[in-house]
Amino acid sequence: MHPLVRDLYKRFLFAGRDYPAGLEAVRKQVKKAFFENRHITDDVELKRAIAKGRYHARELVAINQLHKYRHIKNKYYD
């Protein structure tokens, strides 16, 4: 396995711990996406797919932060 792919998988698992739907939901989606793209061997395509995956990982972190913000806002403000 390419080290960048392994790093991307770890990023998803780390971000998925706080995901509102749970780590298992994130793991299933990520595993499905990784298996769909396992045929990629070209370096250019691999870098493009990793960049797209990193974008989605950042979106996952943003969703987690928004969820936490809304929870705190609802707890302290009416």
Side-chain angles (χ1 to χ4, degrees):
M1 181 184 295
H2 198 278
L4 292 175
V5 175
R6 191 176 318 122
D7 177 62
L8 182 62
Y9 190 75
K10 287 180 183 180
R11 286 179 191 222
F12 274 111
L13 293 183
F14 185 75
R17 292 188 301 175
D18 296 330
Y19 191 66
L23 179 61
E24 287 302 317
V26 172
R27 184 177 286 151
K28 285 180 185 178
Q29 291 177 353
V30 169
K31 190 173 181 180
K32 180 181 172 187
F34 273 62
F35 275 111
E36 287 176 357
N37 292 320
R38 68 179 168 200
H39 67 279
I40 297 176
T41 56
D42 185 35
D43 285 338
V44 175
E45 288 182 45
L46 183 66
K47 300 247 184 208
R48 190 174 298 139
I50 289 172
K52 185 177 179 181
R54 286 184 177 168
Y55 170 78
H56 287 293
R58 285 193 309 267
E59 288 292 319
L60 191 64
V61 170
I63 289 170
N64 293 339
Q65 290 174 345
L66 181 64
H67 179 72
K68 288 179 182 179
Y69 169 76
R70 285 182 176 169
H71 176 73
I72 290 171
K73 184 179 175 188
N74 288 337
K75 186 175 181 179
Y76 292 107
Y77 303 105
D78 288 332

